[in-house]
Amino acid sequence: MKAAQIDRFGGPEVFSIVEIPRPEPAPGQVLVKTAACGVNFAETSLRQNNFLVTPSLPTILGSEVVGTVEKLGEGVDGIRVGDRVVAALFVDGTRNGGYAEYAVAKQDFVVPIPDDISFEDACAVTVQGLTGHYITTVHPPRDRRVLVTAAAGGVGGMLVQFARLHGAHTIIGAVGSEARFGAVKELGASDVVNYNEPGWEGALRAATAGLGPDLVYDSVGGEVFDTNLAMLSEHGKLVFYGSNNLKGDSISSDQMRMMNLRNLTVASFGIQGQLSRERLRSGLTEIFSLLREGSIRPRIAGRYPLEEVGEAHRALEARGTLGKVLLIP
């Protein structure tokens, strides 16, 4: 089979397309013929050896695939050859194997896709949809003034939609350019601000009637994180997630004093710790139901052939995408 492999860490140029033997499913595993594979920010950090774990090299990245069951390992039950499935490779912490024509996954992390949901939509709501679903469940937005950073991206777009579903009072999307304002408003944001615009704090204050947000979902990190923390209203909460926030410096002593004086909370979110076999299945079942009824809708930002995986990573890292980026082997 063909696969996109890295044998060293670095920029998008480290990918090479290789021909390797098709994997065989071990006991308890399923072999999936890949119809689409999601491309996620975490994988851009793994490629640079800048994530929570260091993969052994050479490796094939890829945290989630959708496709058709090709072969069953010994002892697999409840799954048949030919089934349409999501294989959630990120749940067991390996985060690899998806950038290929075939992938193996543990049967516990393989979930059927309803016949009336396309492979692409199912892939687009796996990592991103589950992240949006669980962040808004653990840190509920009901009746709060919510700020979502990177709101035009895959997870950000889902967070805007889930915040709306869960009864947020106000939803402000923060994006990197005005060209994205319309796309974020289409998802349900009441206002949009540009965090690359000097003095964007004024626009954020105006969008919250001078009060500032009282709940922030942030994946951008850096100076945007610092501004978000400073703009929080009293008793507000900032929830950070994503690989960009793993690169920043520690919270300063001045920020700690401000948090203490204003009773602010900073919380982190990582999807790996949220998902057991049961929660994965129940979460995706709920998301598929919302997708079917039109309550949420994914946006596909780009479809790249396997040979252009480096371009897919470049587009994602440049924050030049509106929604989910897919590889199509």
Side-chain angles (χ1 to χ4, degrees), residues 19-324:
E19 289 274 357
I20 58 175
R22 192 183 78 175
E24 288 294 320
Q29 289 186 332
V30 173
L31 177 68
V32 178
K33 180 174 174 52
T34 305
C37 177
V39 182
N40 299 287
F41 263 107
E43 291 141 26
T44 69
S45 294
L46 281 165
R47 190 201 71 230
Q48 301 171 76
N49 194 22
N50 199 13
F51 196 63
L52 292 169
V53 296
T54 296
S56 300
L57 297 178
T59 192
I60 299 165
L61 301 178
S63 305
E64 56 184 341
V65 300
V66 293
T68 306
V69 175
E70 183 83 5
K71 191 174 182 179
L72 305 176
E74 183 182 348
V76 173
D77 57 11
I79 302 171
R80 298 174 300 178
V81 171
D83 282 353
R84 304 170 71 248
V85 297
V86 168
L89 306 175
F90 59 92
V91 180
D92 63 4
T94 58
R95 287 190 176 271
N96 61 19
Y99 294 2
E101 292 178 316
Y102 293 87
V104 290
K106 295 178 181 179
Q107 66 168 335
D108 286 349
F109 306 133
V110 172
V111 180
I113 300 172
D115 290 339
D116 57 349
I117 293 178
S118 71
F119 280 132
E120 290 190 359
D121 282 352
C123 195
V125 298
T126 300
V127 170
Q128 274 85 354
L130 286 167
T131 301
H133 172 54
Y134 282 116
I135 287 181
T136 53
T137 299
V138 177
H139 305 284
R142 181 167 298 279
D143 297 328
R144 308 191 79 171
R145 299 181 301 277
V146 178
L147 173 66
V148 179
T149 67
V155 177
M158 284 292 156
L159 280 168
V160 169
Q161 295 179 76
F162 277 108
R164 171 176 49 80
L165 286 174
H166 290 304
H169 176 275
T170 304
I171 304 169
I172 303 101
V175 295
S177 72
E178 291 189 13
R180 300 180 175 201
F181 280 23
V184 176
K185 286 189 175 180
E186 286 178 7
L187 296 176
S190 50
D191 213 332
V192 189
V193 296
N194 179 359
Y195 54 69
N196 283 327
E197 187 73 24
W200 70 278
E201 302 95 319
L204 177 56
R205 191 170 297 281
T208 56
L211 300 171
D214 48 19
L215 177 61
V216 175
Y217 301 130
D218 177 62
S219 65
V220 177
E223 293 181 0
V224 173
F225 175 99
D226 293 340
T227 299
N228 289 337
L229 186 60
M231 290 292 292
L232 272 178
S233 62
E234 192 154 345
H235 298 282
K237 178 189 287 187
L238 188 156
V239 182
F240 69 87
Y241 68 96
S243 55
N244 276 347
N245 270 306
L246 302 178
K247 304 172 187 175
D249 297 326
S250 301
I251 295 174
S252 71
S253 57
D254 286 343
Q255 289 173 318
M256 292 290 287
R257 283 191 288 270
M258 177 186 68
M259 290 169 61
N260 183 270
L261 289 170
R262 293 165 52 194
N263 290 283
L264 306 181
T265 300
V266 173
S268 64
F269 177 89
I271 193 171
Q272 301 97 314
Q274 298 292 321
L275 294 177
S276 61
R277 176 182 184 273
E278 292 73 22
R279 292 200 78 194
L280 173 68
R281 289 175 177 267
S282 64
L284 280 178
T285 297
E286 183 174 347
I287 290 169
F288 288 155
S289 178
L290 293 171
L291 182 60
R292 185 182 291 113
E293 68 188 33
S295 296
I296 61 170
R297 55 186 181 90
R299 178 184 283 115
I300 306 300
R303 301 167 179 83
Y304 293 81
L306 195 62
E307 292 78 5
E308 295 179 12
V309 59
E311 293 306 311
H313 271 229
R314 287 186 182 93
L316 201 59
E317 289 177 292
R319 295 195 176 273
T321 59
L322 289 171
K324 182 67 177 183

